């Protein structure tokens, strides 16, 4: 069973870009699970989404990132001006993001909001931890899509209102009695990890305003699980 571990980085084969949208200002791509968004430390971690994109679109620049194990929609700006405009939209929380996840156990409530501040757990980085004193605000709205009582799993939609590292993994881990995301090799216990061969977390929808025309743009990418 393959695990997406940086110590043994084995990115998926480059079969071409999964382009969702392209114009003179921006690109929207569907990143595969297991591929870094930007280069990691060392030559063995140079293969990543931005390096693959820049082979085709040399002016593409990173605006935001997805975790290596997470798949789904990523926006890039074409040139520094567009990168800056899009980055500001993300920082100002003007971009709506939606994720799909499959979590362990049956989530009792149909929907709700998780408000738990997060901070890096330095002795155990890259792990995060909940810290009500020093943590940064982290808010996620969730909605249950379906429940599978036979497999003891739930499919949920997640709308993060903030963009903290590992926010969705941590918030699911602390939801109700604990519902870690399947395939999470950082936080999930072994029995949950074994239920999937990848992290079952996918950035399925992005809504943003075009940096030049200011037209609202709504992008979707179905989850591959």
């Amino acid at each position: 069973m393959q695990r997406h571990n940086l110590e043994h980085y084995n990115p998926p084969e480059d079969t071409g870009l999964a382009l969702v949208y392209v114009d003179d200002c921006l690109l929207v791509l569907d990143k595969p699970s297991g591929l870094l968004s930007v280069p990691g430390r060392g030559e063995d971690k140079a293969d990543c989404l931005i390096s693959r994109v820049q082979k085709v679109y040399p002016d593409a620049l990173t605006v935001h990132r997805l975790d290596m194990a997470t798949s789904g929609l990523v926006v890039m700006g074409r040139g520094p001006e567009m990168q800056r405009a899009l980055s500001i939209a993300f920082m100002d929380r003007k971009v709506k993001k939606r994720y799909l996840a499959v979590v362990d156990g049956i989530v009792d409530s149909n929907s709700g909001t998780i408000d738990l501040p997060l901070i890096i757990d330095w002795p155990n980085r890259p792990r995060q931890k909940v810290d009500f004193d020093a943590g940064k605000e982290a808010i996620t709205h969730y909605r249950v899509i379906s429940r599978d009582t036979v497999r003891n799993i739930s499919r949920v939609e997640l709308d993060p209102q903030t963009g903290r590292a590992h926010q969705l993994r941590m918030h699911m881990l602390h939801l109700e009695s604990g519902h870690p995301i399947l395939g999470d090799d950082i936080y999930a216990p072994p029995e949950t990890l074994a239920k999937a061969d990848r992290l079952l977390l996918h950035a399925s929808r992005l809504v943003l305003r075009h940096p030049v025309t200011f037209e609202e743009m709504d992008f979707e990418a179905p989850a591959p699980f």
Side-chain angles (χ1 to χ4, degrees), residues 27-187:
L27 297 154
V28 181
L29 303 109
D30 188 352
K31 184 187 85 70
S33 175
L35 182 67
L36 287 166
S37 290
V38 297
R41 292 180 182 175
E43 291 184 12
D44 60 325
K45 301 175 185 67
D47 184 12
C48 60
L49 183 64
I50 186 63
S51 67
R52 292 183 182 188
V53 172
Q54 286 178 342
K55 291 175 184 176
V56 184
Y57 300 96
D59 60 349
L61 295 169
T62 298
V63 171
H64 67 119
R65 308 174 187 182
L66 291 178
D67 284 348
M68 178 178 68
T70 305
S71 57
L73 294 170
V74 174
V75 179
M76 295 183 180
R78 301 194 67 180
E81 189 178 345
M82 294 299 102
Q83 179 195 37
R84 182 174 181 273
L86 290 164
S87 296
I88 289 172
F90 273 88
M91 287 189 293
D92 290 347
R93 302 183 187 178
K94 292 180 179 177
V95 179
K96 296 178 182 176
K97 296 173 282 185
R98 174 165 292 170
Y99 292 74
L100 202 65
V102 180
V103 302
D104 209 4
I106 302 301
V107 179
D108 292 329
S109 51
N110 292 326
S111 62
T113 298
I114 305 160
D115 184 353
L116 291 173
L118 301 173
I119 192 170
I120 191 166
D121 184 1
W122 281 106
N124 302 297
R125 59 188 183 275
R127 291 176 68 95
Q128 306 290 312
K129 64 179 181 179
V130 175
D131 189 322
F132 289 97
D133 295 321
K136 294 182 178 179
E137 180 186 47
I139 298 172
T140 304
H141 301 317
Y142 70 91
R143 183 169 72 91
V144 176
I145 303 301
S146 63
R147 299 175 176 92
D148 186 336
T149 54
V150 175
R151 296 176 61 200
N152 192 37
I153 58 174
S154 302
R155 195 174 184 88
V156 294
E157 269 184 357
L158 303 171
D159 294 339
Q161 305 304 295
T162 50
R164 306 303 174 201
H166 295 179
Q167 176 175 321
L168 301 180
R169 301 187 194 211
M170 287 294 292
H171 279 178
M172 291 298 96
L173 189 67
H174 289 86
L175 175 63
E176 297 176 348
S177 58
H179 295 283
I181 299 175
L182 267 57
D184 186 345
D185 61 2
I186 298 178
Y187 301 103

